[in-house]
Amino acid sequence: MMLLTDQANLLLDAALRYAQMGWPVFPIQPAGKQPFPSFAGGFHGARTDADIITRWWAQWPHANIGMPVAPLGIFVVDIDPRNGGDSTLEILEAKHGKLPDTLMQRTGGGGLHYLYRRQTGAHLKAKLGPGIDVKTDGYIAVSPSVTQRTYEWLDCDWPDASLISEPPAWLIAELIESSPSISAGAATLSADQVCELRSALACIPADNYHQWLECGMACHATGAGEQAYGIWTEWSQQSAKFDPRVQRKKWASFSVDRNDRVTVRTIFAKAQAAGWLNPMSNTARLAPVNVTTTPSIQPQLVDPFPEHLLWPPGLIGDIVRYMNATAIRPQPVLELAAAIAFCGTIMGRKVCTPTDLRTNVYVIGVADSGAGKEHARRAMLSILEGADALSLLGGERLASDAGLFSALHASPSSILLLDEVGRFLRTVTAPRAPAYLVNLATMLMELTSAANRIFLEKRRAEHAKEKLKLIHQPNVCMYGTTVPGRLFQAITRVDVEDGFFPRLLIFPCDTPAPVPQRPADRTVPAKLIETVKAWMDRPVNAAPSGNLDALIPKPQVVPINTRAQQCFDDLQADADRRRLQYRGTGLDAMWSRCHEHALRLALIRAAGIEFEAPVITEPDAIWAIELAQYLVGCSVQEIENQVAENLHEHAVKKVATFIRIKGRVSMTELARSFRWLKGRERDDVLGILREAGQAEIEREATEGRSRIWITWTERREESGKKVDLTH
């Protein structure tokens, strides 16, 4: 029999080997396959850093190995013969044919894991039939983990990504079929929504009576009947106080009228306060908009950044990995933002889409002070220095439009590295900002649409006798950083409507205190330097040497294949619907830029994968579309929650955000948190929220002094036929 210490060493060695392959891992309990209670983040905490993994297994020597599914770009078909999975598979294969060979694993329960590539944005059902689960998110235990028996890879000594096959068409067709309703007249939660709801409830203790009651009311408010009751009961059984008779009686006592003050967002708010990270990406759950009615647009909580978008292939991914490995406090979201801006700069004036869209992007990373914002900027400088490309630096401080024009005249493709960009925007958009700063803001906006044309110097009195200067197709990229709140406090609705703000790609970082690591050698990899140099040496025009026309850029056109074009067509239709949804609010300008953002992102990714003859493929389009929709969606939510035209509106939004995140708050706590509001002002704010259907105020009688509670509420759709768990 193998000694326990030998098994522990075997598990640690395997975890490190997976990490070396770029497959993130995390420790899970040997018996129940659940993350350890003291392990923060669940499967979202998986890492590839050897030092962190070694520390984990030093703390839990006999931990099994968990591996998240989404970062690998796969989904897993889990066959459990104990629940009839082998029989279900036999029936399906008799109807459709055998599942194709792929990477497979024997599970600890005697079942099988089939790993298939996932290259579609469609959402798959969580169950194929009795005994067959489908994991599109979450995680699996991997070899050599042990439960009833040892997990083991089949037909190979060690797994390899090349062994993972494409799924057969019949399997995808089975998985994207809509599920039948549970009962007539009741809404039905999709498999993704069930996964999301269960994940949130798992972070909330079920012992507290008031919390148990509110979660039950929130489940009831979905309108999903017995399906929602089952989810609530499943969670309630975590508590030793669980009584099935009391459970059923309490459920029967809930009414629609009473539940109006509690919705499913109450559960999400409580879970997020406990550190929950939503396993579902924001873009995955965007519901079609009914453009025949004017929807009630409510503030929403921003979802965490979709992890599967963080590590794209090609040059963007190479830069992110270098930045991540050399950071003391890794911030992959900021590193992805910086890598996109960097690639957009070196590719500028050299590639374009068939519609002549270029790689110029304005990117802003938002993170707390001290959370590692500076590292990505320093890493970019190291790469530029190593590639002898410091001429691309357009500066870290902008003084005037004339100074910016002079810098671009010397280097038509440049990157602006701006710290505290929120403060900068607040300065240039201030009502009494000096003319040279107003002109600077105007010039930055004009440059976003000047990348494929001639940009003329602004004529000034002192230029009367001089020849007017011009720049052929200037490519200006920006990577700016700021702290949460300051960016949106610096703008007004006018700034959104006039077109400048919608041109920004804002990356919200949801990791305020990343886990420190021992950084790798900060020497820039030779391969990365060679790639950057190749882009620097690539001419902007392939005309023969000595030809005057060679001074005018003629970038290589990067074609879009048919399937990718269909994705972009679908995005344009979706963006048009959302523009109609937000018509009259000023936020329609944000969605009008979504298609353009996605095309630029896909162009940069495709050119970073294939240098000589890039093509925008379906995977490029899906990645770019999901990223663009997520970023635009987050910005829209933040504008709704924070941007105000005056102090009174600012107070309303601050109080609304506070109540929304808390879910339910006492008047005492609200008054203590907003001491700067006078009693009458606070009452006015609460009156506005109540009239808007966003807050409910109730008085709770006690033995002594009664308490006043404020609860965040939502108005429900009249039909109740569709359930939207977006939050």
Side-chain angles (χ1 to χ4, degrees), residues 465-496:
K465 297 182 180 180
E466 298 178 6
K467 184 179 180 180
L468 189 65
K469 295 179 181 179
L470 55 85
I471 305 171
H472 284 287
Q473 303 174 24
N475 179 74
V476 182
C477 292
M478 176 200 297
Y479 174 67
T481 55
T482 188
V483 296
R486 181 168 292 172
L487 176 64
F488 294 95
Q489 290 171 5
I491 66 168
T492 65
R493 290 276 181 171
V494 174
D495 298 317
V496 177

Side-chain angles (χ1 to χ4, degrees), residues 44 272 276-282 302-306 510 630:
H44 292 286
Q272 286 179 324
W276 175 65
L277 296 177
N278 191 342
M280 310 303 295
S281 71
N282 186 51
V302 177
D303 287 340
F305 199 96
D510 46 28
Y630 174 79

Side-chain angles (χ1 to χ4, degrees), residues 12-87:
L12 173 59
D13 290 344
L16 292 171
R17 190 171 178 185
Y18 287 125
Q20 191 174 21
M21 296 166 54
W23 291 9
V25 296
F26 68 105
I28 57 177
Q29 299 180 51
K33 297 186 295 184
Q34 299 298 317
F36 290 88
S38 58
F39 181 76
F43 66 88
H44 292 286
R47 295 289 185 269
T48 57
D49 182 88
D51 290 339
I52 293 176
I53 293 169
T54 302
R55 289 201 300 270
W56 285 342
W57 264 266
Q59 182 176 357
W60 299 294
H62 308 299
N64 282 335
I65 304 171
M67 182 177 293
V69 172
L72 302 184
I74 65 171
F75 70 94
V76 178
V77 179
D78 184 0
I79 312 293
D80 185 0
R82 297 169 298 182
N83 293 309
D86 48 354
S87 299

Side-chain angles (χ1 to χ4, degrees), residues 214-327:
E214 279 198 322
C215 288
M217 295 169 70
C219 288
H220 187 276
T222 64
E226 288 299 306
Q227 184 188 27
Y229 175 73
I231 295 171
W232 182 48
T233 300
E234 177 185 70
W235 167 74
S236 300
Q237 289 173 356
Q238 298 177 24
S239 172
K241 302 176 183 178
F242 175 74
D243 184 327
R245 292 173 301 178
V246 173
Q247 186 89 1
R248 175 57 73 177
K249 184 177 180 180
K250 186 57 67 176
W251 181 264
S253 73
F254 297 150
S255 68
V256 173
D257 291 339
R258 184 177 178 183
N259 285 355
D260 276 346
R261 69 180 181 84
V262 179
T263 72
V264 74
R265 296 187 186 181
T266 304
I267 293 175
F268 295 136
K270 289 179 179 294
Q272 286 179 324
W276 175 65
L277 296 177
N278 191 342
M280 310 303 295
S281 71
N282 186 51
T283 56
R285 295 175 289 103
L286 288 175
V289 176
N290 180 5
V291 299
T292 62
T293 61
T294 303
S296 174
I297 302 169
Q298 303 287 355
Q300 299 172 336
L301 296 174
V302 177
D303 287 340
F305 199 96
E307 291 196 13
H308 66 284
L309 302 178
L310 288 172
W311 314 96
L315 184 56
I316 296 176
D318 290 343
I319 295 174
V320 173
R321 281 184 282 274
Y322 163 69
M323 291 179 174
N324 198 257
T326 56

Side-chain angles (χ1 to χ4, degrees), residues 612-623:
E612 294 294 340
V615 176
I616 297 176
T617 63
E618 186 180 23
D620 300 323
I622 291 173
W623 175 84

